[in-house]
Amino acid sequence: MKKRILFFGLFLSSIMGYSQNTFPTAVNTNVGIGTTSPSTRLQITSASAGASGVRLTNMTSATATTTGNSKALSVDASGNIILTPVVNTAPTVTNIYTSDGTLSANRTVTMNARNFTFNPTAINSQFFINGTNGNVGIGSLTPSVKLEVNGFTKSKTLWATNTATSATSFASSLDFYRNTYVFGAGYEMTDSNLSGATRRMFNFYDLNAWGTEISPNDDLFIMNVVDRSNKERLLFMGNKQGGISNGKSNFIINDKNGAEIFKLMDDGNDNIRLQMGKSNSKFVVGGYADYGLGHKFVVQGGSALIDGNIITNSNVGIGTTNFTDGTDSYRLSVNGAIRANRVKVYTTWADYVFNKDYNLPTLEEVEQYIKDKRHLKDIPSAQEVEEKGIELGEMNKLLLQKIEELTLYMIEMNKEITTLKSQIKN
């Protein structure tokens, strides 16, 4: 018996000292390491939980990788080593909270009535999304509209600067404008009115009363729209001007060359002016610019009421645009009837008939003239009146002239009748 034990011990010793490992070759033989009941061909049970108990002594994490067949070893739920396909040969770990990261796919966040807040170190500079209504606040935790900004932002097409500064004066106009530039949006360009400054296509300035830069104007604000050619196309500005509560206001529209097209002004004392300085300006009420071509002020349809005086240094036409008759020009020209309660005409008068040197024609001369001309002397003929019309004041004077001549004839005839009566009586 002792010989058998000694022989078995020598056998094991020879196996352990052999340079190569050997394994059973029987078909249904399982090998266990750390277990006496292996359920697979090779089962290793580690003494430490979570550790595989397998170590590759000639391969570490520093070993260079080789190109595989898009498969890798993995472990299933039972701990079996299996082959799995490789989805990402170089997986990227994304962490957008503690470090930079890249999302591998689109993400949709459902807020479930939960608010979302980025709270930077700076006071009142939060980025906030209301989880119920979707309102966004920048510098505001209680946005009442879809986007509420309390403060100013800067991006490629939007730039602004906070004017809430304690400065009382600035070193230069450039410094002043830069610090009073509240809001800008759109394409950025050099400010053509102030060398060294930039502006965008839409600009808003809050030029509060800081020092002598805008004296005597205070609390001045400017809003303008500039095209990409650096031409100011629209300007609105206002100020309190020396503390007047209702200060100046100007609304200006310019053309592509920066020349003024339209200007509405309030001088701060309720004196309102509207001007369109270009010579070809046109104002149309109740229609469009292609109606009443050639006229600068047009009212299409309806009626126009002017509760005040109408004063013109030119002519007025009613039913006509013709103001000349031969060599004469008329301030008022009417094509149609005129009705009035009174008409007053300033003209010369015919009292010269009663002058001693007036050449009163004899009745025989009057008779002969009528026979020859078929109308009274100095009075236009019917044909002439029909062709040329009559001057109202001049015609009244001529009619008076004839009445005065008739009066003289009657006086003379009365004298002759009186003389005849006296002779007959005697």
Side-chain angles (χ1 to χ4, degrees):
M1 181 66 180
K2 290 182 179 179
K3 290 181 179 181
R4 291 180 179 178
I5 294 173
L6 178 61
F7 175 78
F8 184 71
L10 291 173
F11 176 76
L12 289 176
S13 177
S14 64
I15 293 176
M16 295 178 65
Y18 195 72
S19 60
Q20 292 182 348
N21 297 323
T22 59
F23 300 93
T25 60
V27 175
N28 295 321
T29 300
N30 296 334
V31 176
I33 301 176
T35 179
T36 59
S37 57
S39 60
T40 60
R41 289 291 181 264
L42 175 63
Q43 181 173 335
I44 300 173
T45 302
S46 173
S48 300
S52 66
V54 178
R55 177 181 294 177
L56 303 176
T57 57
N58 289 329
M59 184 179 294
T60 67
S61 60
T63 304
T65 61
T66 59
T67 303
N69 58 359
S70 299
K71 295 180 181 179
L73 292 176
S74 183
V75 181
D76 65 11
S78 300
N80 298 317
I81 296 175
I82 59 175
L83 280 175
T84 60
V86 177
V87 177
N88 294 316
T89 57
T92 301
V93 177
T94 299
N95 189 333
I96 62 173
Y97 183 76
T98 59
S99 63
D100 292 338
T102 303
L103 294 175
S104 61
N106 296 333
R107 297 290 186 268
T108 300
V109 177
T110 301
M111 302 184 69
N112 195 28
R114 303 293 183 180
N115 298 333
F116 181 79
T117 306
F118 276 107
N119 197 10
T121 302
I123 299 175
N124 296 327
S125 58
Q126 301 92 340
F127 177 82
F128 173 82
I129 302 177
N130 188 300
T132 301
N133 55 33
N135 290 351
V136 177
I138 300 177
S140 172
L141 296 177
T142 57
S144 58
V145 293
K146 287 305 177 185
L147 176 62
E148 181 175 320
V149 180
N150 181 17
F152 305 98
T153 61
K154 184 177 181 179
S155 67
K156 186 175 181 181
T157 58
L158 176 66
W159 178 72
T161 177
N162 196 342
T163 62
T165 175
S166 59
T168 57
S169 63
F170 293 95
S172 65
S173 295
L174 177 60
D175 187 34
F176 171 71
Y177 273 88
R178 282 175 172 172
N179 282 276
T180 56
Y181 191 27
V182 177
F183 178 84
Y187 176 74
E188 186 176 22
M189 67 200 82
T190 301
D191 191 334
S192 59
N193 297 319
L194 188 62
S195 177
T198 60
R199 61 180 176 178
R200 295 184 180 269
M201 298 184 74
F202 176 80
N203 307 279
F204 180 75
Y205 300 84
D206 183 8
L207 302 109
N208 208 324
W210 285 312
T212 60
E213 292 294 336
I214 55 173
S215 180
N217 299 330
D218 65 339
D219 291 342
L220 173 66
F221 66 89
I222 297 175
M223 183 187 73
N224 65 10
V225 176
V226 184
D227 63 21
R228 288 185 178 238
S229 298
N230 216 337
K231 299 298 183 181
E232 192 172 64
R233 304 299 290 270
L234 183 144
L235 171 67
F236 178 67
M237 60 187 297
N239 69 288
K240 287 169 60 177
Q241 193 186 24
I244 300 174
S245 59
N246 295 318
K248 288 183 177 180
S249 295
N250 289 306
F251 180 79
I252 304 170
I253 300 176
N254 298 324
D255 65 11
K256 63 181 180 180
N257 298 316
E260 180 185 300
I261 298 175
F262 176 95
K263 185 174 184 179
L264 179 63
M265 298 167 287
D266 176 5
D267 67 355
N269 296 307
D270 293 332
N271 296 314
I272 313 299
R273 291 181 293 168
L274 187 152
Q275 65 186 39
M276 294 186 291
K278 287 201 169 187
S279 60
N280 58 347
S281 298
K282 183 178 181 181
F283 190 79
V284 179
V285 178
Y288 300 92
D290 57 351
Y291 179 78
L293 296 176
H295 301 287
K296 293 185 176 182
F297 180 77
V298 179
V299 178
Q300 181 180 4
S303 60
L305 172 64
I306 300 177
D307 191 8
N309 298 328
I310 298 177
I311 300 173
T312 178
N313 292 325
S314 188
N315 304 325
V316 176
I318 301 177
T320 181
T321 58
N322 182 21
F323 301 100
T324 60
D325 188 0
T327 59
D328 295 326
S329 297
Y330 297 90
R331 289 294 194 183
L332 175 62
S333 184
V334 179
N335 182 12
I338 298 177
R339 185 179 69 174
N341 291 330
R342 292 179 60 190
V343 177
K344 188 173 184 179
V345 180
Y346 291 88
T347 184
T348 58
W349 212 228
D351 288 344
Y352 52 80
V353 173
F354 298 136
N355 293 336
K356 291 182 179 181
D357 58 352
Y358 179 71
N359 185 19
L360 180 66
T362 64
L363 290 175
E364 288 79 8
E365 292 174 339
V366 172
E367 181 183 12
Q368 187 60 44
Y369 189 91
I370 293 173
K371 288 180 179 180
D372 296 338
K373 306 293 184 180
R374 311 303 297 175
H375 62 87
L376 290 173
K377 185 181 179 181
D378 299 326
I379 301 298
S381 66
Q383 181 179 356
E384 186 177 358
V385 171
E386 290 174 0
E387 292 176 356
K388 299 181 179 180
I390 61 171
E391 293 284 350
L392 185 60
E394 179 66 16
M395 180 55 61
N396 282 339
K397 183 189 73 173
L398 293 176
L399 293 176
L400 177 62
Q401 175 185 336
K402 296 308 172 185
I403 292 173
E404 290 178 345
E405 288 178 350
L406 286 174
T407 302
L408 291 177
Y409 290 137
M410 291 180 67
I411 292 173
E412 185 63 30
M413 292 179 64
N414 183 60
K415 288 180 180 179
E416 291 179 359
I417 292 172
T418 300
T419 302
L420 290 174
K421 286 181 176 181
S422 177
Q423 290 175 355
I424 293 173
K425 184 178 180 180
N426 295 329

